[in-house]
Amino acid sequence: MAVDPQQLHYTTTHEWVAVTPDSPLCVTVGMSDFAVRLLSDLRFIDLPPVGRQLAAGDSFCEIEHEKAVSDLYCPLSGTVIAINQQVLDNVDLLASEPFGAGWLIQLQLAEPANLGSLLNYAAYRQHCSGASRIEASEAGS
Amino acid sequence: MTASQPRSMTGTTGETPAPSAPGERSQRHALDRPRLPSCRVIIEDSPGDGAWNMAADTWLLEQAVATGAACLRVYGWSEPTLSLGYFQSGETLSAHPIFCDWARVRRLTGGGAILHGPGIDLTYSFAVPDWTALVAASGHLYDHVNRVLIRELSRYGWSLTARGESVPVSPEPELCFLRADTHDLLQAGTKVIGSAQRRRRSSLLQHGSLLLRSPAGVTELRGLLDPVDRTQPAGIQPPTDEQLPSNTALAKALGELLAEALEWSTWTPAEQADIAARIAEAKPSSHG
């Protein structure tokens, strides 16, 4: 899959959300290119099992890079209905195609997503470029 | 000998002030940004087992996330223990003739397996609530801490250097001290200090281990206090613990890197009970 970054919704911790056009209760979650660029030497990734219920803010993914393990946080509450096995097998996909083959999980939401709690593309870019401590954003932090 | 004769007889638990290093005032090492106002410092009275040590560090990170408390620990290990990096399986180590019988524990942090135990290593850890308030990039903390360790060990005649480059080895060794990372500290060309991190939200836990002596029979590693030449003639004594800063001195130096004021303390009974309860509740999992 490939998504248009400008059509996504973002968290301040650099996860992105894509709502499936024909299925508003299904969303895909990934990590932004901005965050990926800050993660050098990606080594390992772990994703939750299909069927796990996640609340917004829960850690759903762990990534090792430069001997550091970081958590990614679930943008919305839902049940994991798919994980990207290709990324598990080849974490470099996350670095090379964060908005495409590097997606992470798909969630089934119990109700339509409250996207108002997330940032649109412009706001997210401003968050990335305007933050006085831009490195705050090293992914997963 | 890998180092000049010690200029102090300070033991690892002694309180004797360390000798001054040449040009000490000019060697003050600062973070990228202002230090924390304060940091709690815990020096364990006695070495703990792997479950305790890792549960305690996890507790510190959780406290940093939840309450904003910063804390530094310097501690030892009560038995020979392998701590596996968070994503390591440790599979090949299970077949190792020496390590197969060692206790094991999984760290929260990444990297390779580290050997711990009485006389084998010295470990530090610290948890800070918002690493972005201290450094521009979390990797800088490795470097800042390394400069402090270089300075402190130089007081005792050691000349540690940062590797400064990563050298991938394939297949990658399971043992941290056989890997070659840019943030390693070397003595006489051999890695003696490794470090790794865990980040949760804006908080960060960093571990570091100083390999003092390679366990008997483990010839592929050389600790700081091991003779450089294992075949050297009898009668030449290897370095001793007296050529190390005390745990207190090490904690003070690392703590002062992080914070303006240090709050020396021990675990409270409630904290100990909380950590012990977590150990008891812990269930085996793939990423313990």
Side-chain angles (χ1 to χ4, degrees):
Chain A
M1 66 171 291
V3 293
D4 178 358
Q6 298 195 40
Q7 302 303 314
L8 302 177
H9 305 272
Y10 297 86
T11 66
T12 56
T13 49
H14 310 290
E15 296 83 10
W16 56 256
V17 174
V19 180
T20 305
D22 299 332
S23 181
L25 292 181
C26 178
V27 300
T28 302
V29 178
M31 183 196 291
S32 78
D33 58 342
F34 177 82
V36 166
R37 282 200 302 272
L38 292 173
L39 298 183
S40 59
D41 189 28
L42 285 175
R43 305 298 301 278
F44 304 102
I45 189 168
D46 198 18
L47 295 172
V50 170
R52 176 167 293 177
Q53 292 191 337
L54 296 168
D58 283 353
S59 171
F60 76 94
C61 172
E62 295 162 316
I63 299 177
E64 179 169 334
H65 56 98
E66 203 182 10
K67 301 188 299 177
V69 179
S70 295
D71 294 83
L72 299 185
Y73 298 97
C74 199
L76 301 165
S77 299
T79 302
V80 179
I81 56 172
I83 61 173
N84 188 347
Q85 185 63 45
Q86 287 185 305
V87 164
L88 285 177
D89 296 338
N90 176 17
V91 71
D92 290 339
L93 270 181
L94 177 58
S96 60
E97 299 184 58
F99 296 116
W103 64 276
L104 298 175
I105 62 171
Q106 289 185 323
L107 292 173
Q108 181 75 35
L109 310 181
E111 54 189 29
N114 176 18
L115 299 176
S117 62
L118 304 176
L119 305 176
N120 63 24
Y121 181 75
Y124 175 67
R125 286 296 161 189
Q126 187 171 9
H127 168 73
C128 294
S129 62
S132 60
R133 298 188 314 227
I134 198 164
E135 298 83 356
S137 323
E138 272 193 84
S141 312
Chain B
M1 299 260 298
T2 56
S4 60
Q5 289 299 315
R7 287 165 287 179
S8 164
M9 296 301 286
T10 305
T12 53
T13 57
E15 298 298 329
T16 307
S20 298
E24 180 177 354
R25 283 187 177 276
S26 63
Q27 291 182 359
R28 170 108 171 83
H29 299 301
L31 297 167
D32 302 348
R33 296 178 173 135
R35 294 182 290 177
L36 296 166
S38 66
C39 179
R40 182 182 180 188
V41 180
I42 296 175
I43 298 178
E44 303 283 1
D45 292 336
S46 56
D49 63 16
W52 168 266
N53 280 333
M54 294 301 95
D57 283 345
T58 302
W59 190 90
L60 293 184
L61 178 58
E62 291 175 356
Q63 289 297 302
V65 173
T67 71
C71 188
L72 167 77
R73 289 177 72 210
V74 175
Y75 55 94
W77 300 69
S78 59
E79 60 181 339
T81 304
L82 272 175
S83 74
L84 300 177
Y86 189 70
F87 279 97
Q88 278 193 294
S89 69
E91 190 174 346
T92 62
L93 294 171
S94 298
H96 193 282
I98 293 173
F99 306 137
C100 60
D101 292 331
W102 283 34
R104 290 188 183 204
V105 69
R106 188 174 302 283
R107 300 191 310 273
L108 276 182
T109 56
I114 297 178
L115 313 182
H116 308 279
I120 294 175
D121 85 316
L122 177 64
T123 307
Y124 75 82
S125 67
F126 61 81
V128 293
D130 180 4
W131 61 264
T132 66
L134 300 175
V135 286
S138 58
H140 292 188
L141 273 172
Y142 293 128
D143 301 324
H144 288 301
V145 167
N146 281 347
R147 282 193 281 272
V148 169
L149 295 173
I150 289 170
R151 181 192 69 200
E152 290 304 306
L153 287 162
S154 75
R155 299 174 192 272
Y156 296 87
W158 303 104
S159 299
L160 272 63
T161 55
R163 189 188 301 276
E165 63 175 350
S166 293
V167 184
V169 177
S170 183
E172 186 169 54
E174 291 249 48
L175 295 177
C176 166
F177 285 95
L178 291 179
R179 297 183 179 184
D181 178 79
T182 186
H183 301 295
D184 297 340
L185 286 184
L186 314 180
Q187 170 67 32
T190 300
K191 179 176 180 177
V192 293
I193 296 180
S195 48
Q197 297 177 344
R198 178 71 187 225
R199 289 188 278 169
R200 283 188 176 159
R201 303 196 185 280
S202 59
S203 298
L204 179 146
L205 172 76
Q206 179 165 320
H207 277 137
S209 177
L210 166 60
L211 182 63
L212 301 177
R213 297 180 186 85
S214 182
V218 181
T219 57
E220 59 265 49
L221 300 179
R222 191 179 73 228
L224 188 70
L225 302 182
D226 285 326
V228 172
D229 181 1
R230 293 175 189 274
T231 63
Q232 65 184 316
I236 296 180
Q237 296 301 311
T240 71
D241 285 358
E242 293 172 350
Q243 288 177 246
L244 295 172
S246 69
N247 289 359
T248 302
L250 200 57
K252 183 173 184 290
L254 292 174
E256 289 179 343
L257 170 74
L258 299 171
E260 297 285 342
L262 303 184
E263 300 168 1
W264 298 86
S265 76
T266 57
W267 296 107
T268 68
E271 290 169 345
Q272 289 177 315
D274 190 13
I275 294 168
R278 290 163 185 245
I279 294 170
E281 291 170 3
K283 297 175 182 176
S285 69
S286 60
H287 295 308

